[in-house]
Amino acid sequence: MDLRQLRHFVAVADTLHFGRAAERLGMTQPPLSQSILALERQLGGDLFVRSKRSVALTAFGRQWLEHVRPAVAAVAALPAIAERLRSGASGRLSLAFVSTADYSVLPTLVERYSSAFPEVELELVEATSDIQVEDLLNGRINAGILISTRSALPPALAYRPLLNEPLVAAVPESWIEEGRLATGGGTLRGDGWMAQPLIIFPARVAPDFHDLVMRFYRSRGHQPFIRQEAIQMQTIISLVSAGLGMALVPASLRHLARTGVRYLPLAGAPELETGLAWHERDDSPTLAAFLALASPSSRA
C-alpha cells in the first residue's frame, strides 16, 4: 500500500465513477482500476460494489474512507508545514528572562514576536542569568534575556545588547518621612544614603549587576552595608517595602508599584545593560526569526 493507492481510492469514492476519477487524477481508467483491485487484494476485502451502470462503496469501504481521507489530507499538507517550519513561521521557541526584563523589554518583544508568528509555540521561562547561561549551553532554551554578562559569557554563546538604563534608588517611604534620607527635587542628595542597609542580587546570580552596584559605591569612597540578598526583583522590592533596606534597581522597575516604596533618581547613576544571549550553534528557524525582530530598545 502506498500513498498513490490511497489517493486513487479517495478519488473513486468521491466521484463513484472510475472514468471521472481517472480524469481528476490525470490518468487513464485501466491503470486506476488495476490500482483499486490491487488495494482490495492487499486489504482482503472489497471497497466498491461495481456494476455496468454504477459504482458504490461497500460498508467496509465507507468506514475505511473515514480514516483514509484525513490521512491523505495530512500528507498533502506536509509540504506547507515543512515550509512554515523552515521559515520559522511555526514550531517552538523557548525564551528565558530575568525578572527585571518583565518591566522593560520583555512585554514589547513578546507582543511583537507573537503578532508576527502566531503559530509558534512560545515557552516563557523566568530564570536568573546564571541559570540561563547553563540552560543555553545544554540546549534547554533557545534564547535568554539576561543582565549583561558579556565579559563572562562562554565563547559558545552569542550576545546582543537590548537595553541600557540608569539605576534608581528604591527606598522605604517611611525613611523619607522620617528624614532619614536627604532628598531634594525628588532626587537623593549627597552620599549619606550610602550608609543605609542595602538589599542586592547575589554576585553568583547576576555578577555584572552586583559588580556595577559595588563599583558605584566604591567610586565614591563607600563600602555598602549589605543587609540582605535576594534573587527575585519582586522579593527585593518587597523587602524594601518592609523597611529592611534600600536597593539600586533598573529605572524600568518604577513600573512595579508597591505600597511603601519610592523610586528616586540618583546623580551620576551607572547604567545597567540587559541583553539577549543564544547558542551560536542553534540553527532553529524560530530562533532566527526571533533574532531578526529583537532589536535594541531605547533608554527606559
Side-chain angles (χ1 to χ4, degrees):
M1 188 185 308
D2 59 31
L3 179 60
R4 183 180 58 177
Q5 286 178 302
L6 299 180
R7 287 173 174 159
H8 292 173
F9 167 59
V10 171
V12 177
D14 285 346
T15 61
L16 295 178
H17 193 284
F18 277 83
R20 286 196 291 272
E23 183 178 350
R24 172 173 149 180
L25 292 166
M27 61 189 300
T28 59
Q29 183 173 334
L32 174 59
S33 298
Q34 291 300 316
S35 176
I36 296 297
L37 286 171
L39 181 59
E40 289 175 323
R41 285 194 297 269
Q42 189 172 356
L43 295 172
D46 292 337
L47 295 169
F48 298 99
V49 178
R50 305 163 178 82
S51 70
K52 291 184 178 180
R53 294 186 177 181
S54 66
V55 176
L57 281 162
T58 64
F60 164 56
R62 284 195 301 273
Q63 293 179 64
W64 198 53
L65 179 63
E66 295 176 5
H67 299 276
V68 174
R69 193 186 299 280
V72 171
V75 172
L78 287 177
I81 292 173
E83 172 58 25
R84 290 198 298 274
L85 289 170
R86 185 199 62 77
S87 65
S90 65
R92 182 175 178 275
L93 179 75
S94 180
L95 174 66
F97 63 95
V98 291
S99 59
T100 54
D102 199 19
Y103 303 95
S104 57
V105 296
L106 182 68
T108 300
L109 192 53
V110 168
E111 191 280 330
R112 187 189 309 164
Y113 181 72
S114 297
S115 296
F117 301 100
E119 294 183 32
V120 174
E121 178 189 350
L122 180 59
E123 179 190 31
L124 296 174
V125 181
E126 185 174 348
T128 54
S129 298
D130 58 328
I131 297 299
Q132 289 189 42
V133 169
E134 181 181 342
D135 287 348
L136 285 168
L137 292 174
N138 292 329
R140 288 192 286 265
I141 59 174
N142 298 110
I145 301 174
L146 38 68
I147 299 300
S148 170
T149 53
R150 67 169 77 194
S151 60
L153 282 179
L157 300 185
Y159 175 85
R160 174 187 302 171
L162 292 178
L163 173 69
N164 284 282
E165 55 182 327
L167 297 184
V168 298
V171 303
E173 200 163 46
S174 59
W175 289 10
I176 299 174
E177 295 169 354
E178 296 166 0
R180 187 167 171 176
L181 300 173
T183 63
T187 303
L188 279 180
R189 299 173 58 188
D191 290 347
W193 59 269
M194 288 187 162
Q196 301 297 332
L198 182 70
I199 303 168
I200 192 173
F201 273 109
R204 62 177 177 79
V205 169
D208 280 18
F209 193 177
H210 188 276
D211 290 347
L212 186 67
V213 173
M214 298 297 285
R215 287 198 306 269
F216 183 52
Y217 272 77
R218 290 167 182 164
S219 69
R220 298 193 175 192
H222 291 269
Q223 181 66 28
F225 163 43
I226 298 177
R227 175 76 175 272
Q228 183 71 44
E229 292 184 340
I231 64 172
Q232 296 295 334
M233 187 57 72
Q234 295 89 335
T235 302
I236 289 176
I237 297 303
S238 292
L239 295 175
V240 171
S241 176
L244 293 185
M246 60 178 291
L248 301 190
V249 301
S252 56
L253 256 290
R254 290 173 297 190
H255 300 302
L256 175 56
R258 184 64 57 85
T259 301
V261 177
R262 287 274 298 276
Y263 297 99
L264 301 175
L266 297 169
E271 291 197 342
L272 181 72
E273 183 174 286
T274 300
L276 182 68
W278 66 96
H279 202 297
E280 289 187 333
R281 292 186 180 178
D282 189 340
D283 60 354
S284 305
T286 51
L287 174 61
F290 179 76
L291 293 175
L293 286 178
S295 57
S297 302
S298 59
R299 178 172 167 153

Coordinates of all heavy atoms in Angstrom, one line a residue, residues 63-122:
Q63 N -16.5 2.8 5.9 CA -15.8 3.0 7.2 C -14.3 3.3 7.0 O -13.8 4.1 7.7 CB -16.0 1.8 8.0 CG -17.5 1.5 8.4 CD -17.7 0.3 9.2 OE1 -17.1 0.2 10.3 NE2 -18.4 -0.7 8.7
W64 N -13.7 2.6 6.1 CA -12.2 2.8 5.9 C -12.0 4.2 5.3 O -11.0 4.9 5.7 CB -11.7 1.8 5.0 CG -10.2 1.6 5.1 CD1 -9.4 1.5 6.2 CD2 -9.2 1.7 4.0 NE1 -8.1 1.4 5.9 CE2 -7.9 1.5 4.6 CE3 -9.3 1.8 2.6 CZ2 -6.8 1.6 3.8 CZ3 -8.2 1.8 1.9 CH2 -6.9 1.7 2.4
L65 N -12.9 4.7 4.5 CA -12.7 6.1 3.9 C -12.6 7.1 5.0 O -11.9 8.1 4.9 CB -13.9 6.4 3.0 CG -13.9 7.8 2.3 CD1 -12.7 7.9 1.4 CD2 -15.2 8.0 1.6
E66 N -13.3 6.9 6.2 CA -13.2 7.9 7.3 C -11.8 8.0 7.8 O -11.5 9.1 8.4 CB -14.2 7.5 8.4 CG -15.7 7.5 8.0 CD -16.6 7.0 9.1 OE1 -16.1 6.7 10.2 OE2 -17.8 6.9 8.8
H67 N -11.0 7.0 7.7 CA -9.7 7.0 8.2 C -8.7 7.5 7.1 O -7.7 8.1 7.4 CB -9.3 5.6 8.7 CG -10.1 5.1 9.8 ND1 -9.8 5.5 11.1 CD2 -11.2 4.3 9.8 CE1 -10.7 4.9 11.9 NE2 -11.6 4.2 11.1
V68 N -9.0 7.1 5.8 CA -8.1 7.4 4.7 C -8.1 8.9 4.4 O -7.1 9.5 4.1 CB -8.4 6.5 3.5 CG1 -7.6 6.9 2.3 CG2 -8.2 5.0 3.8
R69 N -9.3 9.4 4.3 CA -9.4 10.8 3.9 C -8.5 11.8 4.7 O -7.8 12.6 4.2 CB -10.9 11.3 3.9 CG -11.1 12.6 3.1 CD -12.5 13.1 3.2 NE -13.5 12.2 2.7 CZ -13.8 12.0 1.4 NH1 -13.1 12.8 0.5 NH2 -14.7 11.2 1.0
P70 N -8.6 11.8 6.1 CA -7.8 12.7 6.8 C -6.3 12.4 6.7 O -5.4 13.2 6.8 CB -8.3 12.5 8.3 CG -9.0 11.2 8.3 CD -9.6 11.1 7.0
A71 N -6.0 11.1 6.5 CA -4.6 10.7 6.3 C -4.0 11.3 5.1 O -2.9 11.8 5.0 CB -4.4 9.2 6.3
V72 N -4.8 11.2 4.0 CA -4.3 11.7 2.7 C -4.2 13.3 2.8 O -3.3 13.9 2.3 CB -5.3 11.3 1.6 CG1 -5.0 12.1 0.3 CG2 -5.2 9.8 1.3
A73 N -5.2 13.9 3.5 CA -5.2 15.4 3.6 C -3.9 15.8 4.4 O -3.3 16.8 4.1 CB -6.4 15.8 4.3
A74 N -3.6 15.0 5.5 CA -2.5 15.3 6.3 C -1.2 15.2 5.5 O -0.3 16.1 5.7 CB -2.4 14.4 7.5
V75 N -1.1 14.2 4.7 CA 0.1 14.1 3.8 C 0.2 15.2 2.8 O 1.3 15.8 2.6 CB 0.1 12.7 3.1 CG1 1.3 12.6 2.1 CG2 0.3 11.6 4.1
A76 N -0.9 15.6 2.3 CA -0.9 16.7 1.3 C -0.5 18.0 2.0 O 0.1 18.9 1.3 CB -2.3 16.9 0.7
A77 N -0.7 18.1 3.3 CA -0.4 19.4 4.0 C 1.1 19.4 4.4 O 1.6 20.5 4.8 CB -1.3 19.5 5.2
L78 N 1.8 18.3 4.3 CA 3.2 18.2 4.8 C 4.1 19.2 4.1 O 4.9 19.8 4.8 CB 3.7 16.8 4.6 CG 3.1 15.8 5.6 CD1 3.7 14.4 5.4 CD2 3.5 16.2 7.1
P79 N 4.0 19.4 2.8 CA 5.0 20.4 2.2 C 4.8 21.8 2.8 O 5.7 22.5 3.0 CB 4.6 20.4 0.7 CG 4.1 19.0 0.5 CD 3.3 18.7 1.8
A80 N 3.5 22.2 3.0 CA 3.2 23.6 3.5 C 3.7 23.6 5.0 O 4.3 24.7 5.4 CB 1.7 23.9 3.4
I81 N 3.5 22.5 5.7 CA 4.0 22.5 7.1 C 5.5 22.6 7.1 O 6.1 23.4 8.0 CB 3.6 21.2 7.8 CG1 2.0 21.2 8.0 CG2 4.3 21.0 9.2 CD1 1.5 19.9 8.5
A82 N 6.2 21.9 6.2 CA 7.6 22.0 6.2 C 8.1 23.4 5.9 O 9.1 23.8 6.4 CB 8.2 21.0 5.1
E83 N 7.4 24.1 5.0 CA 7.8 25.4 4.6 C 7.6 26.4 5.8 O 8.5 27.2 6.1 CB 7.0 25.9 3.4 CG 7.1 27.4 3.1 CD 8.6 27.7 2.8 OE1 9.4 26.9 2.3 OE2 8.9 28.9 2.9
R84 N 6.5 26.2 6.6 CA 6.3 27.1 7.7 C 7.4 26.8 8.8 O 7.9 27.7 9.5 CB 4.9 26.9 8.3 CG 3.8 27.4 7.4 CD 2.5 27.6 8.2 NE 2.0 26.4 8.7 CZ 1.2 25.5 8.0 NH1 0.9 25.8 6.7 NH2 0.8 24.4 8.5
L85 N 7.8 25.5 9.0 CA 8.8 25.2 9.9 C 10.1 25.7 9.5 O 10.9 26.2 10.3 CB 8.9 23.6 10.1 CG 7.7 23.0 10.9 CD1 7.8 21.5 10.8 CD2 7.7 23.4 12.3
R86 N 10.4 25.6 8.2 CA 11.7 26.0 7.7 C 11.9 27.5 7.8 O 13.0 28.0 8.1 CB 11.9 25.6 6.2 CG 13.2 25.9 5.6 CD 13.1 25.9 4.1 NE 12.2 26.9 3.6 CZ 12.5 28.2 3.5 NH1 13.7 28.6 3.9 NH2 11.7 29.0 3.1
S87 N 10.8 28.2 7.6 CA 10.9 29.7 7.6 C 10.7 30.3 9.0 O 10.9 31.5 9.2 CB 9.8 30.3 6.8 OG 8.5 30.0 7.3
G88 N 10.4 29.4 10.0 CA 10.2 29.9 11.4 C 8.8 30.4 11.6 O 8.6 30.9 12.7
A89 N 7.9 30.2 10.7 CA 6.5 30.7 10.9 C 5.8 29.8 11.9 O 4.7 30.2 12.4 CB 5.8 30.8 9.5
S90 N 6.2 28.6 12.1 CA 5.6 27.7 13.1 C 6.7 26.9 13.7 O 7.9 26.9 13.3 CB 4.6 26.8 12.4 OG 5.2 25.9 11.5
G91 N 6.4 26.2 14.8 CA 7.4 25.5 15.5 C 7.3 25.9 17.0 O 6.3 26.2 17.5
R92 N 8.5 25.9 17.6 CA 8.6 26.1 19.1 C 9.8 27.0 19.4 O 10.8 26.8 18.8 CB 8.6 24.8 19.8 CG 8.6 24.9 21.3 CD 8.6 23.5 22.0 NE 8.7 23.6 23.4 CZ 9.8 23.7 24.1 NH1 11.0 23.7 23.5 NH2 9.7 23.8 25.4
L93 N 9.6 27.9 20.3 CA 10.7 28.7 20.8 C 10.7 28.8 22.3 O 9.6 29.2 22.9 CB 10.6 30.1 20.2 CG 11.7 31.1 20.6 CD1 13.1 30.8 19.9 CD2 11.4 32.6 20.3
S94 N 11.8 28.5 23.0 CA 11.9 28.6 24.4 C 12.7 29.8 24.8 O 13.9 29.9 24.4 CB 12.5 27.3 25.0 OG 12.5 27.4 26.4
L95 N 12.1 30.8 25.5 CA 12.8 32.1 25.8 C 12.8 32.2 27.3 O 11.7 32.3 28.0 CB 12.0 33.2 25.1 CG 12.5 34.6 25.5 CD1 13.9 34.9 25.0 CD2 11.5 35.7 24.9
A96 N 13.9 32.4 27.9 CA 14.1 32.6 29.3 C 14.3 34.1 29.5 O 14.7 34.9 28.6 CB 15.2 31.9 29.9
F97 N 14.0 34.6 30.7 CA 14.1 36.1 31.0 C 14.4 36.3 32.5 O 13.9 35.5 33.3 CB 12.9 36.8 30.5 CG 11.6 36.4 31.3 CD1 11.2 37.2 32.4 CD2 10.9 35.4 30.8 CE1 10.0 36.8 33.0 CE2 9.7 35.0 31.5 CZ 9.3 35.7 32.6
V98 N 15.1 37.3 32.8 CA 15.3 37.7 34.2 C 14.1 38.5 34.6 O 13.4 39.1 33.8 CB 16.6 38.5 34.4 CG1 17.8 37.7 34.2 CG2 16.6 39.7 33.4
S99 N 13.9 38.6 35.9 CA 12.7 39.3 36.4 C 12.6 40.7 36.1 O 11.5 41.3 35.8 CB 12.6 39.1 37.9 OG 13.7 39.6 38.6
T100 N 13.8 41.4 36.0 CA 13.8 42.8 35.6 C 13.2 43.0 34.2 O 12.7 44.1 33.9 CB 15.2 43.4 35.7 OG1 16.1 42.6 34.9 CG2 15.7 43.4 37.2
A101 N 13.4 42.1 33.3 CA 13.0 42.2 31.9 C 11.5 42.3 31.8 O 10.9 42.8 30.8 CB 13.5 41.1 31.0
D102 N 10.8 41.8 32.8 CA 9.3 41.8 32.8 C 8.8 43.2 32.8 O 7.6 43.4 32.5 CB 8.8 40.9 34.0 CG 7.4 40.5 33.8 OD1 6.9 40.5 32.7 OD2 6.8 40.1 34.8
Y103 N 9.6 44.1 33.3 CA 9.2 45.5 33.4 C 9.8 46.4 32.3 O 9.6 47.6 32.4 CB 9.5 46.0 34.8 CG 8.8 45.2 35.9 CD1 9.6 44.1 36.5 CD2 7.5 45.4 36.2 CE1 9.0 43.3 37.4 CE2 6.9 44.6 37.2 CZ 7.7 43.5 37.8 OH 7.1 42.7 38.7
S104 N 10.5 45.8 31.4 CA 11.2 46.6 30.4 C 11.0 46.0 29.0 O 10.0 46.3 28.4 CB 12.7 46.8 30.7 OG 13.3 45.5 30.9
V105 N 12.0 45.2 28.6 CA 12.0 44.8 27.2 C 11.0 43.6 26.9 O 10.6 43.4 25.7 CB 13.4 44.4 26.7 CG1 14.3 45.7 26.7 CG2 14.0 43.3 27.5
L106 N 10.7 42.8 27.8 CA 10.0 41.5 27.6 C 8.6 41.7 27.0 O 8.3 41.1 26.0 CB 9.9 40.7 28.8 CG 9.2 39.3 28.7 CD1 10.1 38.4 27.8 CD2 9.0 38.7 30.0
P107 N 7.7 42.5 27.6 CA 6.4 42.6 27.0 C 6.3 43.1 25.6 O 5.6 42.5 24.8 CB 5.7 43.7 27.9 CG 6.5 43.6 29.2 CD 7.9 43.3 28.8
T108 N 7.1 44.1 25.2 CA 7.1 44.6 23.8 C 7.6 43.5 22.9 O 7.1 43.3 21.8 CB 7.9 45.9 23.7 OG1 7.3 46.9 24.6 CG2 7.9 46.4 22.3
L109 N 8.7 42.9 23.3 CA 9.4 41.9 22.4 C 8.4 40.7 22.2 O 8.3 40.2 21.1 CB 10.7 41.4 23.1 CG 11.6 40.6 22.2 CD1 11.9 41.3 20.9 CD2 12.9 40.3 23.0
V110 N 7.8 40.2 23.3 CA 6.9 39.1 23.1 C 5.7 39.4 22.3 O 5.2 38.6 21.4 CB 6.4 38.6 24.5 CG1 5.3 37.6 24.4 CG2 7.6 37.9 25.2
E111 N 5.1 40.6 22.5 CA 4.0 41.0 21.7 C 4.3 41.1 20.2 O 3.6 40.7 19.4 CB 3.5 42.4 22.2 CG 2.1 42.8 21.7 CD 2.2 43.4 20.3 OE1 3.2 44.0 20.0 OE2 1.2 43.3 19.5
R112 N 5.5 41.7 19.9 CA 5.9 41.8 18.5 C 6.1 40.5 17.9 O 5.7 40.2 16.8 CB 7.2 42.6 18.5 CG 7.7 43.0 17.1 CD 9.1 43.6 17.2 NE 9.2 44.7 18.1 CZ 10.3 45.2 18.6 NH1 11.5 44.6 18.3 NH2 10.3 46.2 19.5
Y113 N 6.8 39.6 18.6 CA 7.1 38.3 18.0 C 5.8 37.4 17.9 O 5.6 36.8 16.8 CB 8.1 37.5 18.9 CG 8.4 36.1 18.4 CD1 9.2 36.0 17.3 CD2 7.9 35.0 19.0 CE1 9.6 34.7 16.8 CE2 8.3 33.7 18.5 CZ 9.1 33.6 17.4 OH 9.4 32.4 16.9
S114 N 4.9 37.4 18.9 CA 3.7 36.7 18.8 C 2.8 37.2 17.7 O 2.1 36.4 17.1 CB 3.0 36.7 20.2 OG 3.8 36.1 21.2
S115 N 2.8 38.5 17.5 CA 1.9 39.0 16.4 C 2.4 38.6 15.1 O 1.7 38.3 14.1 CB 1.9 40.5 16.5 OG 1.2 40.9 17.7
A116 N 3.8 38.6 14.9 CA 4.4 38.2 13.6 C 4.3 36.7 13.4 O 4.2 36.3 12.2 CB 5.8 38.7 13.6
F117 N 4.4 35.9 14.4 CA 4.4 34.5 14.3 C 3.4 33.8 15.2 O 3.8 33.1 16.2 CB 5.8 33.9 14.5 CG 6.9 34.5 13.6 CD1 7.7 35.6 14.0 CD2 7.0 34.1 12.3 CE1 8.6 36.1 13.2 CE2 8.0 34.6 11.4 CZ 8.8 35.7 11.9
P118 N 2.1 34.0 15.0 CA 1.1 33.4 15.9 C 1.1 31.9 16.0 O 0.6 31.4 17.0 CB -0.2 34.0 15.3 CG 0.1 34.2 13.9 CD 1.5 34.7 13.8
E119 N 1.6 31.2 15.0 CA 1.6 29.7 15.0 C 2.7 29.1 15.9 O 2.7 27.9 16.1 CB 1.7 29.2 13.6 CG 0.5 29.5 12.7 CD 0.6 28.8 11.4 OE1 1.2 27.8 11.3 OE2 0.1 29.4 10.4
V120 N 3.7 29.9 16.2 CA 4.8 29.4 17.0 C 4.4 29.2 18.5 O 3.8 30.1 19.1 CB 6.0 30.4 17.0 CG1 7.1 29.9 17.9 CG2 6.6 30.4 15.5
E121 N 4.7 28.1 19.0 CA 4.5 27.8 20.5 C 5.6 28.5 21.3 O 6.8 28.0 21.2 CB 4.5 26.3 20.7 CG 4.3 25.9 22.2 CD 4.5 24.5 22.5 OE1 4.6 23.7 21.5 OE2 4.6 24.1 23.6
L122 N 5.3 29.6 21.9 CA 6.3 30.3 22.7 C 6.3 29.9 24.1 O 5.3 30.1 24.8 CB 6.0 31.8 22.5 CG 7.0 32.8 23.2 CD1 8.4 32.6 22.8 CD2 6.6 34.2 23.1

